[in-house]
Every structure is written in C-alpha cells, then in structure tokens.
Amino acid sequence: MNDIRASSSTLSGAPSLTMSKPSLNNSKASLTHSRQSMNVSDGEERPPTREELIAEFLDKAKFYTSLCLGTTAILSVFAFLFLIPFVVDPAISTIVADYDPVPVTCVVTDHVYAEGMRNCTWSSCREGCTTAAIRCHQLLVNYTKIAFHEWHKHPRDLDSIEWDVMDTKFLVNTEGCGYPPRVNCSEFAKQYGYSHVGEPFPCYYSRAYPEIVVARYSWDDNLKHLILSLIIPNVLFAVSIGVLSYWYCPCCDKACHKSPRVYAEKYPTKENKLLCRSDDEEDELDY
C-alpha cells in the first residue's frame, strides 16, 4: 500500500515539473531579449550633455588662445629687437644730445651733391640707416642762438650777425638718416639747399654737442616713441608668458592655488596658547 501511495504521489508531482519548464524557458527568453536590448543601447552613441559641450568648447578656446599667445610672445621679441636700432637708440641719442627746444636761426652756407662712396663720407640726409650712402647731400650751416621767432619779427643783416657756430654739418635728424615717407632726402634738399642757400630758417642745436644742428626735433614725439617702443613689446611678452605659465606650468599653478593658512596653522595662536595654559592650571588644581 505504501508503494502504491508513493507511486501515486510521484505521478501527481510530475505534471508540476513539466509545467515549470515553460516558465523557465520564458524567463530565459526574457533575459536574452533584455541582453540584446542592452547591446543595442550600448552600440548607439549617447548625445553629449551640456557640460561636456562646454568643456570641449573651453578646451578648444584654450588651445587657440595658447597658440595666439605663443605667437604674440615670439613676435614681440622680434619687434623689440627691430625697434632697438631704429627707434630706441636714436631716441636715447636725441635725449643725450639735449637739443634746445626753442628753434634758433640758421643759414645754409654750402650745399654739395655728391655721388660715390668715396665722396659721400658723410651726408645731411640718408634714406636708410643700414646701407652706405651712394648719393648724398652735404649741407653746411651757420647758426646763431637768436630765437627764430625774434628774427622773424625783427630781421637783421646777415653780414652784421656774429654767428655762434660757423660751417657746421646740418642733419635732417640726430642720426642723419631715416625711412620714407618720414624722411625724403630730395624734398629735404629742395627745402634747405639749392636756391634757398643764404635764407634764414629755424633749426635746433645741441647744448651738449654744439656742432650738431638738426632740422627736426620734438621732445614730446621723441619721448612718446621711446616709451611706446619700450612698453608695448615688453608688456605683450610678459602677459603672454604669464598666461601660458599659469596654464601649463605646474609650479605656477601650485603657487597660485596655495592656501595662505597652510603655514599659519602650523603654529598656535596667542588665544590657543592661553587656553592651553588655563587647561593645564585647571588640571593641576584637580590633582
């Protein structure tokens, strides 16, 4: 009887096992479907977020800004080296010469136009300060320290004037050279030489070197050109190198972001010392 009951119980339990197999198959199918859907979702590109777009834009802006700053630093160095012989040195020479800002009266006594390097040992005007003069205008002048505006108001006889310096070289500027259109030697010769020999005109003499006489001088312009040629290239170079160092130099970054309390916190303050002393005294009293 017991065997019959056991067999009947096994038979009654068999359908339940067979019924559980389809449920397992369904769960497996759902798992495979979910895995496939996950694989499909992983294969698709996720659109970037707003923060990622901003970070990408900032990286590109930093790269191009760094490129511009590096180029600016290099160009500022070359510009400063170029300005030294053409602007800085003549401006300093003009300051050292100490020209009288009030124009005095000059008269051209001789004008010679020469050609060839042997004949052009010096020139009143030369277009280009780095090349030797092949054609030159040589002008000699007499000058008196009488201000030209006084001479213009009260003209005097040239033969009765006692000239302070006679037959000295007359230059277009301190260096005696320049570049067009600021310096045009043909116009300079037409203005002061040829048919204008013997006519009074304003000029500037050097108080440090009285034998130097120039046609053009302005203290304000000379100082302005000197300051600009010194400040602009150096400021551009310093700003460019400073920004690049702040961005890419680890030492500069650490120094800029260092907390000022790091060193201060190593040592106790007066208040902490007083509190410690009071605590020690209380402990001694308790004992």
Side-chain angles (χ1 to χ4, degrees):
M1 292 294 290
N2 293 329
D3 294 336
I4 294 170
R5 289 177 182 175
S7 61
S8 63
S9 63
T10 54
L11 290 173
S12 62
S16 64
L17 291 173
T18 56
M19 291 297 291
S20 63
K21 288 181 180 179
S23 62
L24 291 172
N25 293 330
N26 292 331
S27 63
K28 289 180 180 179
S30 62
L31 288 173
T32 55
H33 180 71
S34 62
R35 288 177 181 175
Q36 290 177 357
S37 62
M38 289 175 65
N39 292 330
V40 171
S41 62
D42 292 338
E44 294 178 355
E45 293 183 358
R46 182 174 58 85
T49 61
R50 184 172 179 271
E51 289 76 9
E52 292 176 350
L53 292 174
I54 294 174
E56 183 180 0
F57 174 76
L58 292 176
D59 290 338
K60 289 183 179 180
K62 183 178 180 180
F63 171 75
Y64 289 111
T65 305
S66 302
L67 185 63
C68 293
L69 290 174
T71 305
T72 302
I74 295 172
L75 292 178
S76 62
V77 172
F78 284 103
F80 182 69
L81 295 176
F82 176 80
L83 290 172
I84 286 175
F86 295 105
V87 178
V88 177
D89 186 45
I92 294 175
S93 300
T94 302
I95 293 173
V96 171
D98 189 21
Y99 290 99
D100 190 350
V102 179
V104 297
T105 306
C106 286
V107 173
V108 175
T109 58
D110 189 18
H111 175 205
V112 176
Y113 173 74
E115 293 183 358
M117 296 182 64
R118 291 184 179 180
N119 297 324
C120 294
T121 55
W122 70 278
S123 177
S124 295
C125 180
R126 183 158 49 97
E127 294 181 3
C129 298
T130 57
T131 58
I134 300 176
R135 301 180 182 87
C136 58
H137 295 274
Q138 298 174 349
L139 282 75
L140 300 178
V141 297
N142 297 342
Y143 76 85
T144 177
K145 294 182 181 179
I146 300 174
F148 182 74
H149 65 273
E150 295 181 2
W151 180 284
H152 187 69
K153 291 180 181 178
H154 306 285
R156 304 179 186 182
D157 187 9
L158 296 177
D159 296 332
S160 62
I161 294 296
E162 293 184 1
W163 303 102
D164 292 289
V165 177
M166 299 180 64
D167 295 331
T168 187
K169 297 177 182 179
F170 180 58
L171 306 177
V172 64
N173 51 32
T174 303
E175 300 295 322
C177 61
Y179 295 89
R182 184 175 178 82
V183 174
N184 190 326
C185 293
S186 299
E187 295 296 328
F188 172 78
K190 291 179 182 178
Q191 182 178 358
Y192 298 103
Y194 296 119
S195 60
H196 297 284
V197 174
E199 295 181 1
F201 63 90
C203 63
Y204 302 89
Y205 75 97
S206 171
R207 288 178 287 197
Y209 309 101
E211 67 277 4
I212 298 178
V213 184
V214 297
R216 302 172 185 173
Y217 170 73
S218 175
W219 169 261
D220 295 334
D221 292 342
N222 183 70
L223 188 63
K224 180 181 69 175
H225 295 158
L226 178 61
I227 292 174
L228 291 177
S229 60
L230 290 175
I231 289 179
I232 292 177
N234 290 294
V235 168
L236 290 176
F237 178 79
V239 171
S240 302
I241 295 299
V243 174
L244 292 175
S245 300
Y246 176 76
W247 280 349
Y248 298 103
C249 182
C251 299
C252 297
D253 191 19
K254 291 180 181 178
C256 292
H257 292 87
K258 187 179 293 183
S259 176
R261 296 180 58 84
V262 172
Y263 299 103
E265 290 176 353
K266 291 183 179 180
Y267 304 98
T269 59
K270 292 182 178 180
E271 291 79 4
N272 293 333
K273 290 181 179 179
L274 294 174
L275 290 174
C276 292
R277 289 179 181 177
S278 62
D279 293 338
D280 294 338
E281 292 175 356
E282 290 178 358
D283 293 337
E284 291 177 357
L285 292 174
D286 292 337
Y287 285 113

